[in-house]
Amino acid sequence: MTFNFDHTPVLSTESMKALMVRPGGRYVDGTIGGGGHAAMILSASAPNGWLGGCDRDGMAVEAASSHLAPYVGRWEIRQGAFETLVDWIAPESVDGVLLDLGVSSPQLDRPERGFSFAVTGPLDMRMDKRQELTAAQLVNTMGEEEMGKLIWEMGGEQKARRIARAIVREREISPLQTTGELAEVVERAVPRRGARRHPATRTFQALRMVVNDEKGALRRGLASTVNLLRSGGRLVTITFHGLEASIIKEFGDSAVKMEKPVLQWIRRKSLKPSPNELAANPRARSAQMRILCKI
Ligand SMILES: C[S@@+](CC[C@H](N)C(=O)[O-])C[C@H]1O[C@@H](n2cnc3c(N)ncnc32)[C@H](O)[C@@H]1O
């Protein structure tokens, strides 16, 4: 089955420049999604460039494989987190690694994936459907205090304790099963009062990050993907919120400051989408690119 996988790659021209894609080069896309960036890499590295890619999401792997059919023979894609790339790609063998973090538009837009409050669906939020833990299990079993802490720390939600209390009260009546039910509970606890953002935005982000252990996966993934780069190779990251950006900056800063530094910053200050890109793709609004180079 092929899915309609509509995801516009963000900072696409900028990422090709940052990766310094050249004919015959070898690249890795650790978050292949629908294969938008990957297709650009394969096109710019023609006629004989190679790309290794992965995604935790089986639906993305399928969509990317079909999108990259014109370049067959020049790529290999496997399902898994990017920390597992080291299991099948040789150390110091690639010229550039791209990590375009977060979720894709199809993950957000397909109700059955349970990432979104805009379209109601089961409280799922798993990037990798083979994993057991779902958002429903989290919200229906976690202690109130722990949940409040998590919504505050991972979502930056100031009213986290009030939201956690409301969730626990509601689930005592009956377990929360859909994203719509959760969004409603949050909205009742912290009414919108004219705010542009839905009051459940930060709560949903926090839950998604915990269900997918996004911070842990990023920390482990950064440390391992650096080993894939040959000297002079580029590590290009695109982040969508402050927690991811801090992990990248901390990681880069400590690699730069080591006694024998492994990396150097090419660009630590974030590179953001142009006004033209933002007008065409509002979902790019919080994207920030950073570039490191292997010494
Ligand atoms: C913003 S999308 C990437 C879109 C892609 N660059 C494109 O052009 O279509 C992010 C993707 O990263 C995947 N992802 C997030 N964390 C991951 C991880 N630790 N390992 C592998 N894939 C991950 C998500 O499943 C999602 O498909």
Side-chain angles (χ1 to χ4, degrees):
M1 181 171 147
T2 15
F3 306 96
N4 174 17
F5 202 101
D6 210 1
H7 179 88
T8 313
V10 304
L11 291 163
S12 54
T13 316
E14 293 84 347
S15 46
M16 296 308 114
K17 272 197 200 146
L19 287 165
M20 300 195 302
V21 183
R22 58 169 176 83
R26 288 172 57 85
Y27 303 91
V28 161
D29 186 341
T31 50
I32 205 150
H37 285 107
M40 293 179 75
I41 293 174
L42 284 162
S43 163
S45 63
N48 55 346
W50 180 84
L51 179 111
C54 72
D55 201 293
R56 293 170 85 173
D57 190 333
M59 182 178 105
V61 168
E62 237 179 273
S65 304
S66 122
H67 188 57
L68 300 181
Y71 307 98
V72 74
R74 294 212 280 125
W75 52 263
E76 181 169 350
I77 305 173
R78 299 194 188 179
Q79 185 178 1
F82 48 73
E83 69 203 69
T84 63
L85 286 162
V86 286
D87 298 341
W88 59 279
I89 298 180
E92 303 192 9
S93 69
V94 305
D95 301 297
V97 172
L98 175 67
L99 302 176
D100 172 22
L101 299 161
V103 280
S104 65
S105 300
Q107 285 169 332
L108 286 173
D109 296 340
R110 294 177 77 94
E112 71 274 20
R113 301 302 305 267
F115 281 99
S116 169
F117 45 77
V119 279
T120 194
L123 263 175
D124 189 320
M125 301 195 191
R126 287 171 299 172
M127 288 180 183
D128 187 339
K129 291 278 223 176
R130 301 171 302 186
Q131 157 188 323
E132 255 181 51
L133 181 68
T134 64
Q137 283 168 23
L138 266 187
V139 298
N140 290 310
T141 60
M142 190 176 256
E144 179 179 323
E145 202 174 314
E146 197 185 346
M147 189 164 10
K149 195 163 166 260
L150 173 163
I151 296 172
W152 160 240
E153 285 179 1
M154 303 287 204
E157 170 60 68
Q158 299 197 344
K159 297 180 180 130
R161 280 168 69 179
R162 202 193 300 172
I163 293 172
R165 200 175 316 130
I167 292 174
V168 169
R169 260 195 218 142
E170 190 70 27
R171 79 186 187 201
E172 278 163 4
I173 305 166
S174 78
L176 291 163
Q177 281 172 343
T178 67
T179 59
E181 284 167 18
L182 176 61
E184 220 183 283
V185 172
V186 177
E187 193 164 11
R188 253 187 281 129
V190 288
R192 194 188 286 245
R193 297 213 174 88
R196 218 158 41 98
R197 282 223 286 197
H198 190 289
T201 307
R202 292 172 185 276
T203 303
F204 270 64
Q205 176 190 303
L207 291 172
R208 189 200 93 199
M209 291 196 63
V210 178
V211 168
N212 297 291
D213 181 24
E214 288 181 42
K215 277 172 70 178
L218 179 55
R219 286 210 176 91
R220 293 188 298 274
L222 285 169
S224 68
T225 47
V226 165
N227 295 318
L228 302 176
L229 287 170
R230 58 168 61 118
S231 172
R234 296 275 176 102
L235 173 60
V236 177
T237 57
I238 303 175
T239 58
F240 290 86
H241 57 77
L243 280 178
E244 288 171 345
S246 319
I247 294 176
I248 305 283
K249 285 188 276 185
E250 268 167 35
F251 171 77
D253 289 347
S254 65
V256 163
K257 284 185 203 139
M258 282 161 79
E259 203 181 320
K260 195 168 172 283
V262 208
L263 294 169
Q264 69 182 49
W265 282 109
I266 301 294
R267 186 166 176 127
R268 186 180 187 279
K269 187 174 182 299
S270 62
L271 181 72
K272 296 182 181 155
S274 65
N276 278 350
E277 177 170 359
L278 289 178
N281 180 18
R283 275 185 178 169
R285 67 187 169 275
S286 37
Q288 298 191 350
M289 176 185 286
R290 290 186 170 78
I291 312 166
L292 284 150
C293 177
K294 180 100 170 251
I295 291 174

